[in-house]
Amino acid sequence: QVQLVESGGGLVKAGDSLRLSCLASGRGFSFTAMGWFRQAPGKDREFVGGINRSGSSVYYADSMKGRITISRDNAKNMMDLQIHSLKAEDTAVYYCAAGLLAESAKSFHSWGQGTQVTVSS
């Protein structure tokens, strides 16, 4: 099984860019689809995007397209989320996840503890 730890969150200004990282430990990272979710206060957890096992296919939520990039480095057991043009609405806890299908939010089954992103204007 894979254990996941997010990092890179913090307090940022609207319009800035931020890179979040997810470090995986355990066996099977390169054989597991990965993804990002976020949860704002009082809101349901939202699918941000996913990336397949090899990194050849990436899927983004419509609400985030054009502002984010998801990538992975299987040699480092790492996945990144880059967010550009940050908005106050991006304020949320961001979670790294492992699953079966990168394009299917319901297929994700393992989660990190989350990292807080707070965007001020």
Side-chain angles (χ1 to χ4, degrees):
Q1 295 299 126
V2 177
Q3 293 79 50
L4 307 171
V5 179
E6 303 93 340
S7 63
L11 178 63
V12 295
K13 295 181 179 179
D16 285 354
S17 297
L18 187 68
R19 176 180 291 177
L20 306 180
S21 294
C22 173
L23 181 64
S25 61
R27 297 181 296 172
F29 177 78
S30 63
F31 300 102
T32 304
M34 300 293 295
W36 289 95
F37 293 75
R38 68 181 184 180
Q39 188 166 23
K43 303 293 184 180
D44 293 332
R45 186 170 295 185
E46 176 187 17
F47 179 62
V48 174
I51 186 167
N52 73 346
R53 297 173 180 179
S54 68
S56 62
S57 296
V58 187
Y59 304 89
Y60 300 116
D62 288 340
S63 62
M64 303 291 288
K65 286 181 179 178
R67 294 199 298 120
I68 63 171
T69 301
I70 295 173
S71 59
R72 69 188 295 165
D73 186 339
N74 288 345
K76 298 180 179 179
N77 282 5
M78 188 172 67
M79 177 184 63
D80 286 349
L81 170 64
Q82 296 182 65
I83 311 175
H84 306 287
S85 300
L86 282 157
K87 306 174 181 179
E89 300 95 295
D90 293 321
T91 295
V93 177
Y94 285 73
Y95 297 91
C96 174
L100 302 177
L101 295 173
E103 68 270 33
S104 176
K106 296 181 179 180
S107 77
F108 289 88
H109 52 74
S110 299
W111 306 84
Q113 296 285 4
T115 185
Q116 176 72 47
V117 174
T118 303
V119 183
S120 65
S121 59

